[in-house]
Amino acid sequence: MKILLTGAAGFIGSHLTEHLLSMGHTVIGYDNFDNQYDPVRKHINIHFLTTHPNFTFIQNDIRDQASLTDVLRQYRCDTVVHLAARTGVRDSVREPALCIDVNVNGTLSLLEAMRLTKVRRLVMASSSSVYGNSSAVPFREDDDANLPLSPYAMSKRSAELLAHTYHHLHGFDVACLRFFTVYGPRQRPEMAISRFTEKMYGGQPITIYGDGSTSRNYTYIYDTIMGISRSINHLKGFDLLNIGGSGAVKLSELVGIIEQAVGRKAVIDWQPNQPGDVTLTSADLHRANNRIGYLPSVQIEEGISRFVSWYRQTVLCS
């Protein structure tokens, strides 16, 4: 396949690029190196891939429809994987207009470029945040997802609806993948596991919002990449799929697992709950298993151990 991958230099995107190239695909990476976190990290993410004969990288913004159209046409792409986004619930509360512009208008720009070039295969990243504070646990893809708690959640749900519109009007094959807190090597620095690990090694307090009872379904990067890869191979019609880990973990338990891997006790700075945060995410994976054969394989203890080992060798020793 010839795959246009937006957000190719990010955490998930760089891992996916590496995997797709290893499977023999041609990848056209597309990323604008925005400043939501240090762009140097993104350059490092893909630097070792830039000499691969089947990889081409283009630096630009997904809101540039003309550029996307030219890229799809020039490289004769047959599939698009759309990961580029303005990420994070708290950042979206601070900058809602930017979040919605990138995530909604950027997705529309991509869909229009695909329509104009007759590319009809799309796998795109959504988020577990679309479920809000659903009382139905675990979260199923056919649950109501119309009460978002943050601009980020709203933008991701809006992108899903846009994709469905293009499926209906123009015959796109679409899989919207609802990711559940992805972690592992190269994870974004503002995310809890990265931040906690950094603070513990530095002997600094970690900030916990709430009483530590909130729970998340954490998904190791390998499992997420397998979910995306399987979705590409089984792409047909329109689908919403949860791509999550094997179960929900309380924040207080997560801290304990990281403490054990790091070998240090955390000093905790307790703060009130943050606006837009949900209390629980929990993935029902039956549909993903039935449709694409997805099952997570990395348990949280093993995943944290791998992440901390990578952090120790790559970040602390750099």
Side-chain angles (χ1 to χ4, degrees):
M1 295 181 197
K2 292 185 177 180
I3 300 170
L4 172 64
L5 173 55
T6 72
F11 162 42
I12 299 174
S14 61
H15 281 278
L16 182 60
T17 299
E18 187 176 6
H19 172 74
L20 293 174
L21 291 173
S22 75
M23 298 300 292
H25 300 299
T26 296
V27 178
I28 313 303
Y30 197 97
D31 202 298
N32 71 341
F33 292 112
D34 76 358
N35 63 356
Q36 191 172 13
Y37 61 94
D38 188 354
V40 170
R41 288 177 176 260
K42 300 174 190 177
H43 284 280
I44 294 171
N45 285 348
I46 62 164
H47 177 72
F48 72 103
L49 298 170
T50 54
T51 58
H52 195 289
N54 291 336
F55 181 61
T56 301
F57 184 79
I58 296 162
Q59 183 173 346
N60 210 336
D61 195 295
I62 57 169
R63 290 168 290 182
D64 186 342
Q65 183 185 317
S67 169
L68 288 168
T69 303
D70 288 344
V71 169
L72 288 170
R73 185 172 288 129
Q74 176 183 350
Y75 293 97
R76 298 180 180 180
C77 300
D78 52 63
T79 302
V80 175
V81 179
H82 178 35
L83 303 181
R86 190 73 179 179
T87 56
V89 166
R90 292 167 193 164
D91 278 356
S92 78
V93 173
R94 288 189 289 268
E95 296 184 286
L98 179 58
C99 173
I100 292 165
D101 188 28
V102 173
N103 296 357
V104 181
N105 291 332
T107 299
L108 178 59
S109 171
L110 176 63
L111 291 167
E112 273 294 279
M114 292 176 65
R115 179 184 67 82
L116 292 170
T117 55
K118 303 187 186 307
V119 179
R120 296 291 186 265
R121 290 169 46 83
L122 173 66
V123 174
M124 59 178 280
S126 186
S127 167
S128 62
S129 65
V130 301
Y131 292 109
N133 270 331
S134 175
S135 59
V137 177
F139 302 161
R140 290 166 45 101
E141 293 88 344
D142 54 3
D143 290 342
D144 179 46
N146 296 316
L147 295 174
L149 299 185
S150 67
Y152 174 70
M154 186 280 287
S155 73
K156 284 299 189 179
R157 182 63 178 138
S158 297
E160 291 180 349
L161 295 172
L162 273 173
H164 183 269
T165 300
Y166 276 71
H167 159 73
H168 174 72
L169 292 176
H170 307 298
F172 283 23
D173 290 319
V174 179
C176 299
L177 307 183
R178 292 173 172 174
F179 295 152
F180 283 69
T181 313
V182 186
Y183 72 101
R186 306 178 208 154
Q187 188 188 43
R188 301 196 319 268
E190 86 282 2
M191 297 186 74
I193 292 171
S194 288
R195 195 173 66 249
F196 290 173
T197 301
E198 178 185 10
K199 297 292 187 183
M200 285 185 202
Y201 271 120
Q204 299 172 301
I206 65 171
T207 301
I208 291 184
Y209 298 99
D211 61 3
S213 64
T214 56
S215 295
R216 294 286 181 274
N217 185 296
Y218 296 96
T219 317
Y220 192 67
I221 184 63
Y222 171 83
D223 290 326
T224 301
I225 297 306
M226 290 302 101
I228 300 171
S229 181
R230 287 178 174 274
S231 296
I232 294 170
N233 293 333
H234 292 82
L235 192 55
K236 186 177 181 181
F238 179 86
D239 222 341
L240 299 167
L241 297 174
N242 290 337
I243 303 296
S246 57
V249 178
K250 285 187 178 181
L251 183 56
S252 57
E253 294 171 352
L254 176 71
V255 171
I257 295 169
I258 299 173
E259 286 176 330
Q260 185 171 3
V262 170
R264 301 186 183 186
K265 193 73 175 173
V267 177
I268 299 176
D269 172 27
W270 299 97
Q271 295 291 329
N273 286 318
Q274 291 286 288
D277 280 353
V278 299
T279 58
L280 167 70
T281 64
S282 178
D284 186 307
L285 299 176
H286 286 90
R287 178 185 287 188
N289 180 245
N290 290 335
R291 302 282 175 87
I292 65 171
Y294 173 77
L295 273 179
S297 61
V298 181
Q299 299 297 315
I300 186 68
E301 293 83 3
E302 174 62 23
I304 293 295
S305 177
R306 293 184 193 179
F307 171 76
V308 170
S309 177
W310 167 84
Y311 185 89
R312 186 185 300 116
Q313 296 170 19
T314 305
V315 179
L316 290 184
C317 296
S318 62

